[in-house]
Amino acid sequence: MIQKKFNEVDRRIFYFPAVRPCETVSPATLLGSLIVLSQNIGNYQSKFFATQRRNSREAIRKIGILLVFFEEIHDRGLILPETAVLCFSELHLTFQKIRFLLEDCSREGARLWILMKSEMVVTQFRLLIRTVATALDILPLNSMDICGEVMELVELVAKQARKARIEIDPNDERAMRRVLSVLDLFEKGIEPEFQVLKWVLDYLEIKTWSDCNKEIKFLEEQWVESEEREVPFLSSLLGFMCYCRVRIFDTLDYQNADQTDVRCNMEVLSCLNPEDFRCPISLELMIDPVTVSTGQTYDRSSIQKWLKAGHTICPKTGEKLTNTELVPNTNLRKLIHQFCADNGVSLAKTGKKTRDIARTILPGSPAAAEAMKFLSRIVARNLVFGTSEQKNKAAYEIRLLAKANIFNRSCLIEAGTIPPLLNLLYSFNKSIQENAIAALLKLSKHANGKKIVVENGGLRSIVAVLKRGISLEAKQTAAATIFYLSSVKGYRRLIGEIDETIPALVDLIKEGTPCGKKNGVVALFGLALYHGNRQRVIDAGTIPLLLHIIASSNKDELIVDSLALLATLAECLDGTLAILQASSFPLITRILQSTTSQAGKEHCVSIFLSCCTNGGDEAVAVLAKDTSVMSSLYSVTTDGTAQASKKARSLIKMLHKFHETSSSGQGCQAFTNEQSVHVW
């Protein structure tokens, strides 16, 4: 088949990337491709069309008749006149578009959107069927040796295509009006009747929670790609479907429900400094970070402009680029998106579509705002007065609604969902506990959410899940929640003073999955930003555990986060002692020389600097033994951030001073602090 292959999953709805057959294509190839294309369209007869049933059926029927015509020509080996080839070429292009349109009309999850775009869809059907009629009008049937019966069928299709009345189905129009009336009620602050909502969903054959959730996911995808003028209407439809999902469906069909959102969020917790998210060229937040051959990372648009200008060296290091390949840094991209999601930072740029959560600080439309307020009150009520199943569903709904929408979080918090969610943490039901802690994780990203959690005694409840949670997933989510709560300076002390917190996080690092280990490390990092917690973290045996992760893990992000925590602990004397006693300098040196992460290199330098500052000449002597360290430090002074460069210069100065003192015969000074340590 000569039609270009196209991934239906990636194709935007109502975008028809049809390819016109080239002029040199052989008639036999064109005919064969038309037959295959017509058969593909015929297969849509078995697909479900929630709307546009008559128009879809008629288009499939007409092309099915033409398929008989094409097969007649093929089977008899007829030679096509030149005008017929031109006609078939036009039909091929049109059939591709019809196939795309039928694909859209039967697309899973797009039923409400197709309904509300009925006028546009009807216009497309009308245009394409008229194009078929025009192509058939110029088809030289009389000069083609086909049987009279087939000729009559083709002429009939041409006549019907010319005169076809392609209009919106009256039932579709009635359903569309009902949706619009519900949106109007929302906008006026009036809750719609249950039966009206149920009628619309029944008409679209949205029968389960999962069916409804698919519609929401599709609308969210459209929202991401939409122009600003479409945002209010899409937001209103999203509010409509979310309200229906909460109010109409009492049962979660978990076999299809997406349970991975918490795991995904866990993956992107990090100790990275937000400054590491800026492009070295533009100094702006990177939207599409890519790595060049020197290991440096830039925003794609910035480095592409650099390369197009004819430059062949790395902008930051000055090294010659061995190639111009740009490797997507997907891990950093996830970290940046999570940072922006948590802080309401916009990632929008001219000509660049992205999931801009800053759009969600305010509701997309008045109807969406009122729908969210209504459904927030429903889930809050179910959390308190519902059955176990209703409480579980309400917690899961919050988990989804608060995932990437700041306005939703504020509505859910104002509706009073946090206190009952904290009560559900003590449930013996695994699913309820997992959904409750996951919902609290989402709400704790909001400033008011953090405050209400703490004011309602939620810290001990969350720590209880971290220590004694029913499942490992619940424990890992509790660690992630602690990380977000620890972003408030005053809460770090409160969390650290709970005796079980730090030992439980250390246990998670020991026993958890890579994701759990990462959450444990990052949560400890957040707590260790309060100086009073550092001794507790060290006493819990964290440093040997971190060194083991750094030495054995194959997860780069986990290693960098472990280095960040180690660098923080090294700032105090006992942290330095533990690092020196573990004879870890060779390991840190190896990471400094091998890691491609600029943050990782900076952490290594920070560890060395703290150890040499706190440990005196004895620590410096151990570092000075490895002559390769100096070249790595010089590299950081030129390639690293301003802060990393400053630290590296301070360390180089220390090493130079030590060498000068040693060469003058003064030897190395003993450990100047009260405590002595063996570092050999």
Side-chain angles (χ1 to χ4, degrees), residues 399-460:
R399 180 177 174 174
L400 295 183
L401 291 165
K403 182 177 179 181
N405 191 298
I406 296 170
F407 178 75
N408 288 1
R409 290 172 194 164
S410 63
C411 286
L412 291 162
I413 291 166
E414 287 173 15
T417 58
I418 288 179
L421 282 172
L422 290 171
N423 291 334
L424 292 181
L425 295 183
Y426 294 99
S427 172
F428 293 106
N429 182 298
K430 174 176 173 289
S431 181
I432 289 177
Q433 188 182 76
E434 287 177 353
N435 285 326
I437 189 63
L440 286 166
L441 167 64
K442 302 298 189 297
L443 297 180
S444 68
K445 296 178 182 181
H446 194 285
N448 289 340
K450 295 180 181 72
K451 182 180 177 184
I452 294 172
V453 166
V454 175
E455 288 178 348
N456 283 270
L459 294 181
R460 290 192 177 277

Side-chain angles (χ1 to χ4, degrees), residues 227-285:
E227 302 293 339
E228 285 298 326
R229 58 187 174 81
E230 287 188 317
V231 168
F233 187 52
L234 276 164
S235 298
S236 297
L237 293 180
L238 267 168
F240 171 84
M241 288 308 298
C242 287
Y243 181 84
C244 288
R245 188 180 69 189
V246 169
R247 188 174 177 192
I248 302 295
F249 301 104
D250 295 325
T251 306
L252 286 171
D253 39 332
Y254 273 107
Q255 65 273 20
N256 295 319
D258 180 7
Q259 293 284 309
T260 63
D261 60 296
V262 170
R263 297 186 186 95
C264 293
N265 277 328
M266 288 179 184
E267 292 289 347
V268 293
L269 297 181
S270 175
C271 304
L272 281 177
N273 188 318
E275 288 303 308
D276 296 322
F277 301 155
R278 296 189 182 279
C279 174
I281 298 174
S282 67
L283 301 182
E284 298 290 336
L285 206 61

Side-chain angles (χ1 to χ4, degrees), residues 500-529:
E500 293 181 318
T501 305
I502 290 171
L505 288 170
V506 172
D507 287 341
L508 182 62
I509 296 171
K510 290 177 182 175
E511 302 166 5
T513 63
C515 180
K517 292 178 188 295
K518 184 174 174 60
N519 283 2
V521 168
V522 173
L524 284 176
F525 175 82
L527 296 177
L529 293 176

Side-chain angles (χ1 to χ4, degrees), residues 196-418:
V196 174
L197 301 173
K198 189 74 167 57
W199 186 92
V200 173
L201 296 192
D202 286 346
Y203 180 76
L204 295 174
E205 299 219 16
I206 298 172
K207 297 180 178 179
T208 65
W209 184 94
S210 284
D211 290 342
C212 194
N213 196 45
K214 288 172 186 173
E215 297 286 319
I216 292 169
K217 284 187 174 183
F218 176 83
L219 290 171
E220 287 175 340
E221 290 168 4
Q222 296 305 303
W223 184 89
V224 171
E225 298 291 337
S226 67
E227 302 293 339
E228 285 298 326
R229 58 187 174 81
E230 287 188 317
V231 168
F233 187 52
L234 276 164
S235 298
S236 297
L237 293 180
L238 267 168
F240 171 84
M241 288 308 298
C242 287
Y243 181 84
C244 288
R245 188 180 69 189
V246 169
R247 188 174 177 192
I248 302 295
F249 301 104
D250 295 325
T251 306
L252 286 171
D253 39 332
Y254 273 107
Q255 65 273 20
N256 295 319
D258 180 7
Q259 293 284 309
T260 63
D261 60 296
V262 170
R263 297 186 186 95
C264 293
N265 277 328
M266 288 179 184
E267 292 289 347
V268 293
L269 297 181
S270 175
C271 304
L272 281 177
N273 188 318
E275 288 303 308
D276 296 322
F277 301 155
R278 296 189 182 279
C279 174
I281 298 174
S282 67
L283 301 182
E284 298 290 336
L285 206 61
M286 288 186 279
I287 291 178
D288 187 8
V290 293
T291 302
V292 297
S293 61
T294 59
Q296 299 297 317
T297 298
Y298 303 93
D299 199 20
R300 184 184 293 275
S301 60
S302 297
I303 191 64
Q304 282 178 336
K305 288 178 183 176
W306 173 268
L307 295 173
K308 284 179 181 177
H311 300 294
T312 58
I313 61 171
C314 176
K316 190 170 182 180
T317 66
E319 295 177 54
K320 187 171 179 62
L321 296 170
T322 57
N323 59 65
T324 57
E325 183 180 3
L326 304 178
V327 180
N329 192 329
T330 54
N331 288 331
L332 182 58
R333 188 170 186 270
K334 285 195 294 182
L335 290 169
I336 293 170
H337 278 248
Q338 184 65 54
F339 170 79
C340 293
D342 295 340
N343 294 279
V345 177
S346 172
L347 271 176
K349 278 191 176 180
T350 304
K352 178 75 176 180
K353 297 288 196 314
T354 186
R355 176 75 187 192
D356 180 6
I357 197 171
R359 271 183 176 181
T360 72
I361 294 174
L362 298 174
S365 71
E370 294 304 317
M372 188 62 215
K373 291 174 185 176
F374 283 134
L375 70 87
S376 294
R377 290 195 282 269
I378 294 172
V379 294
R381 189 165 57 246
N382 287 342
L383 284 174
V384 178
F385 302 109
T387 63
S388 291
E389 188 173 0
Q390 287 173 328
K391 289 177 179 179
N392 185 44
K393 179 179 180 288
Y396 188 68
E397 290 287 1
I398 295 170
R399 180 177 174 174
L400 295 183
L401 291 165
K403 182 177 179 181
N405 191 298
I406 296 170
F407 178 75
N408 288 1
R409 290 172 194 164
S410 63
C411 286
L412 291 162
I413 291 166
E414 287 173 15
T417 58
I418 288 179

